[in-house]
Amino acid sequence: MTYVVTEDCIKCKYTDCVEVCPVDCFYEGENMLVINPDECIDCGVCEPECPAEAILPDSDEVAEKWLDLNAKQSNIWPNITEKREPASDADDYQGMENKYEKFYSDKSPE
């Protein structure tokens, strides 16, 4: 089992999870984070830290479709190891539906 970041992270991109990860397996895109499934040690400490509730175990039915995206993008995007301030409008996007279709970007951060 591994953990994955789901659609709920898009446009929120809180980094509370990054701060607690013992193996630094988070990677940063323009508007979301992902977890490298090959580096994740399945400890689960990141899951309760996410204000957007965007981190799930890959065994969760909702998370299954996000495993490939996490694996692919974690091999492209830069590693993030320190907590940063979220975007000023992050709370406006929390809980919004269909964020992948509306806002997903495969670009690296600026």
Side-chain angles (χ1 to χ4, degrees), residues 16-28:
D16 304 62
C17 53
V18 171
E19 187 172 57
V20 298
C21 181
V23 293
D24 298 333
C25 66
F26 281 89
Y27 292 80
E28 181 182 21

Side-chain angles (χ1 to χ4, degrees), residues 25-39:
C25 66
F26 281 89
Y27 292 80
E28 181 182 21
E30 181 178 43
N31 64 10
M32 78 175 291
L33 304 176
V34 294
I35 294 172
N36 184 318
D38 294 329
E39 296 173 356

Side-chain angles (χ1 to χ4, degrees), residues 15-79:
T15 56
D16 304 62
C17 53
V18 171
E19 187 172 57
V20 298
C21 181
V23 293
D24 298 333
C25 66
F26 281 89
Y27 292 80
E28 181 182 21
E30 181 178 43
N31 64 10
M32 78 175 291
L33 304 176
V34 294
I35 294 172
N36 184 318
D38 294 329
E39 296 173 356
C40 177
I41 60 170
D42 313 325
C43 67
V45 297
C46 59
E47 185 180 17
E49 296 300 317
C50 180
E53 299 181 359
I55 300 173
L56 299 172
D58 69 347
S59 58
D60 187 294
E61 201 173 285
V62 174
E64 286 180 29
K65 68 180 183 179
W66 294 96
L67 185 58
D68 287 342
L69 183 132
N70 276 247
K72 178 184 174 189
Q73 295 308 125
S74 65
N75 286 306
I76 298 169
W77 291 344
N79 187 245

